[in-house]
Amino acid sequence: MKNVYDKINDLDFETSEFKLDDIEREKLYMTAKSYKKNSKKKYIAVAAALLLAAGLTMPPVRAGVSKTFTDLKVSMMETIGASPESYKYVTELHKPIEIGDESIILENLVIEDDKIYSTILRDPKGRSLEEDVSNTTNIYKVVINGETYKAWGQSGSTGMSDDGKAFVSEYMTTFEKTFPELEDANIDLYIGSGTSNEIVSIKASSNIVNKDNKILAENYKLENGANIRMMKVNPIAMTAVIEGLDSNYDYQIKGVDQEGKEVSLDLRTVSDGVATFIYNSTFSDLSLDEIKDGREIEFTLLGAKLNESSGKLTNGNYEKIEEFTLSSK
C-alpha cells in the first residue's frame, strides 16, 4: 500500500461531548490506539471506539454488484501479517456490496475467540485518505446458527491500494461473547455504513483457529500484581490477555529474541478490567511462524498515563513497567 499517513496520534477528542458512562469512556480511551511517527509502513489508524448501537436501527438496503475494483485481491498476510498457514482458517469472500453511498468488497474474514478479523475494500470515489478518516463502515452484529452476537468496538487501519483504486481496511471487531467452535456454519453479517446497512449471509468456520495455538504463558503472575491470563500465537494472530493493569494507563508490549528481532503487541481492547493485546506486524521483525518455533523472547511491558481530558491519548512517554522471558510450547 502507498500514500498512507499516520494520523491517530494527532487526533484530539473530548469525551464530554459523548453521553458515555465511566466504562464506555474507558473503552473509548483504551480502544483509540496511538501509533508511533517512525513507522516502517505509514498508514492511517482508524482505531476509534465505535458506538455501534445505532446500527441496530438502520434500514436494510438491497445489495448490488460493484464493478469498480473487483479485480483487486488482498490477503490477511498483507494486512495483519497472518501466517501462510492462515489459509486453513480464513474465509475468502471477495463479495461486492452496495451500502448506501458506499461501494465495498467484503474481501475475507476469520473468527477467533470473541473477535472477527476482516478485510474490506472500498471505492474512494475521489476521496483522499485524509478525507476518509471518519469512515464508519463496520460489522455491528453477527448471527450464527440463530444466535446473536453484538459488537461493542472496532479498531484497525486503512491504506490505499498500490493501484490507487481502493481503500484497503483491516478491522478487528470485538463482540460481547465468545463465538462457538463450528465448521461450515451459517453466518449472517450485519454491515453498516453511514445510515444504511446490509445483511450478508455466508458459510464460514467459526473459532477453529485455536486448534493451532502455541501457548507462551497461562496464569503467569507479574511482579506488579497483574496476571497474564493467556499469551498465545496461532496462524492468525498473537494475543496476550492481561488482568489487573491500572486502567489509568495505556500499554504496549515489546519483545526481542536472541538475534535482536523484535515483536510488538498493541493494546486493542479493555473490558471489565481485562486488557487484550494483539500482534502488530507493522512494528514486528518476528513473524508469527518464528514466534511459534519455541525461541525465547524477552518481553517488556510499557505504560503511559492517559490524559485526563481532551487532547492526545497519552503524552507518548511509555515507561518500562515489567520484563519477563517466555517461549511458545
Side-chain angles (χ1 to χ4, degrees):
M1 293 184 289
K2 65 180 181 180
N3 297 328
V4 194
Y5 303 92
D6 181 15
K7 286 291 184 185
I8 193 67
N9 207 36
D10 293 330
L11 293 179
D12 290 348
F13 54 88
E14 175 61 68
T15 58
S16 63
E17 293 179 3
F18 302 95
K19 294 181 179 179
L20 306 175
D21 60 26
D22 290 341
I23 294 175
E24 290 170 328
R25 185 172 290 107
E26 179 180 340
K27 287 178 181 177
L28 175 60
Y29 272 128
M30 304 303 281
T31 308
K33 292 303 302 153
S34 61
Y35 289 80
K36 289 185 178 178
K37 297 281 186 185
N38 61 351
S39 168
K40 290 174 283 185
K41 298 178 183 178
K42 295 180 180 178
Y43 54 88
I44 285 183
V46 291
L50 300 182
L51 305 181
L52 299 176
L56 300 179
T57 60
M58 294 177 182
V61 176
R62 180 176 295 277
V65 178
S66 171
K67 299 183 181 298
T68 307
F69 42 89
T70 53
D71 290 337
L72 182 63
K73 297 282 188 179
V74 179
S75 73
M76 283 196 170
M77 288 186 288
E78 297 173 86
T79 55
I80 65 172
S83 162
E85 292 296 306
S86 62
Y87 77 91
K88 296 184 288 187
Y89 307 106
V90 175
T91 300
E92 301 291 349
L93 296 165
H94 199 68
K95 187 176 183 63
I97 309 167
E98 297 287 338
I99 305 181
D101 295 331
E102 290 283 353
S103 299
I104 75 171
I105 292 178
L106 180 58
E107 184 70 357
N108 49 47
L109 63 80
V110 63
I111 299 173
E112 183 205 30
D113 298 331
D114 59 349
K115 303 180 290 294
I116 291 181
Y117 296 90
S118 61
T119 306
I120 293 178
L121 314 180
R122 289 180 297 110
D123 187 347
K125 296 184 177 180
R127 293 169 294 182
S128 67
L129 280 170
E130 291 86 347
E131 293 169 329
D132 189 62
V133 71
S134 61
N135 168 62
T136 60
T137 302
N138 61 83
I139 299 173
Y140 64 88
K141 185 171 71 172
V142 173
V143 177
I144 299 181
N145 291 351
E147 185 170 355
T148 297
Y149 300 79
K150 296 179 181 178
W152 66 258
Q154 175 173 286
S155 62
S157 63
T158 294
M160 182 70 78
S161 62
D162 287 340
D163 60 11
K165 292 183 179 180
F167 293 141
V168 180
S169 298
E170 59 86 8
Y171 295 121
M172 186 191 82
T173 309
T174 305
F175 290 78
E176 60 184 346
K177 54 189 175 182
T178 299
F179 291 102
E181 293 184 15
L182 296 170
E183 297 270 6
D184 203 28
N186 295 313
I187 301 177
D188 292 331
L189 304 171
Y190 288 69
I191 303 176
S193 183
T195 59
S196 303
N197 74 354
E198 181 61 46
I199 302 172
V200 180
S201 297
I202 64 171
K203 275 194 172 290
S205 295
S206 169
N207 203 13
I208 63 170
V209 66
N210 284 323
K211 297 176 182 178
D212 219 347
N213 281 347
K214 294 285 188 178
I215 306 301
L216 288 86
E218 192 169 10
N219 291 322
Y220 184 94
K221 300 292 184 182
L222 299 178
E223 292 182 3
N224 70 341
N227 178 59
I228 302 178
R229 182 184 292 183
M230 175 70 70
M231 182 182 281
K232 65 177 184 175
V233 60
N234 59 43
I236 298 301
M238 181 181 184
T239 306
V241 180
I242 303 181
E243 54 194 357
L245 294 175
D246 189 336
S247 62
N248 293 312
Y249 284 76
D250 184 46
Y251 295 93
Q252 301 172 351
I253 297 176
K254 304 291 185 182
V256 60
D257 71 0
Q258 294 179 344
E259 299 175 3
K261 289 186 174 182
E262 298 181 351
V263 61
S264 178
L265 290 87
D266 293 336
L267 178 60
R268 297 288 287 264
T269 67
V270 176
S271 179
D272 297 327
V274 180
T276 300
F277 297 78
I278 302 293
Y279 173 75
N280 185 328
S281 61
T282 300
F283 295 112
S284 297
D285 303 316
L286 284 168
S287 68
L288 294 176
D289 287 338
E290 289 174 318
I291 298 166
K292 286 179 65 179
D293 70 12
R295 68 186 63 198
E296 283 196 344
I297 301 175
E298 183 177 325
F299 291 97
T300 303
L301 176 65
L302 303 161
K305 191 172 178 60
L306 295 172
N307 288 325
E308 295 181 356
S309 57
S310 64
K312 297 178 182 179
L313 181 67
T314 72
N315 62 8
N317 184 24
Y318 286 79
E319 298 180 349
K320 182 189 301 182
I321 295 176
E322 187 130 2
E323 293 181 332
F324 47 96
T325 300
L326 300 171
S327 60
S328 64
K329 298 177 178 63

